[in-house]
Amino acid sequence: MLNDITKGRALRLVERPKGRAIFSVRLKTAGERIYVLAVKRRVITAWPPNARLNQKRRDLIAAATKPMGDNMILDA
C-alpha cells in the first residue's frame, strides 16, 4: 500500500493542506479498494470504500480517459 503511494501507482483523489492527500489503493491480496490519508511516506488513516470517494475516483478516471475532440487532432 505504501509502495503504491510513493511510486505513484495509487490514484490521488483529494489534496489536503500541509502536504496531505487522499489516495485510492487496491489491496490485491484482499481484492478490496480502500482510501488512505497520507503525508509523504506516512499513512495517517484508512477508510473502507464509500459512495462519495468511489464517485470521485470514477470521475477522475473518466476525465483521464476522455477521448480527444476532432479539433485537437492535427492533420499531418
Side-chain angles (χ1 to χ4, degrees):
M1 173 177 64
L2 188 56
N3 199 22
D4 286 345
I5 292 171
T6 57
K7 299 282 185 184
R9 290 187 296 254
L11 179 63
R12 184 183 306 228
L13 295 178
V14 180
E15 290 287 328
R16 293 283 175 100
K18 299 181 183 177
R20 297 177 179 171
I22 297 176
F23 295 90
S24 171
V25 179
R26 182 148 184 87
L27 300 175
K28 294 174 189 162
T29 56
E32 285 286 326
R33 179 173 308 281
I34 62 170
Y35 297 97
V36 177
L37 176 64
V39 177
K40 297 182 183 176
R41 294 191 54 88
R42 193 176 66 151
V43 172
I44 296 173
T45 191
W47 302 281
N50 69 45
R52 184 181 64 85
L53 291 173
N54 283 339
Q55 188 59 48
K56 178 78 171 173
R57 180 179 53 83
R58 285 186 203 105
D59 292 344
L60 285 173
I61 291 170
T65 59
K66 189 175 185 180
M68 294 183 354
D70 290 339
N71 59 349
M72 299 185 85
I73 299 174
L74 299 175
D75 293 331

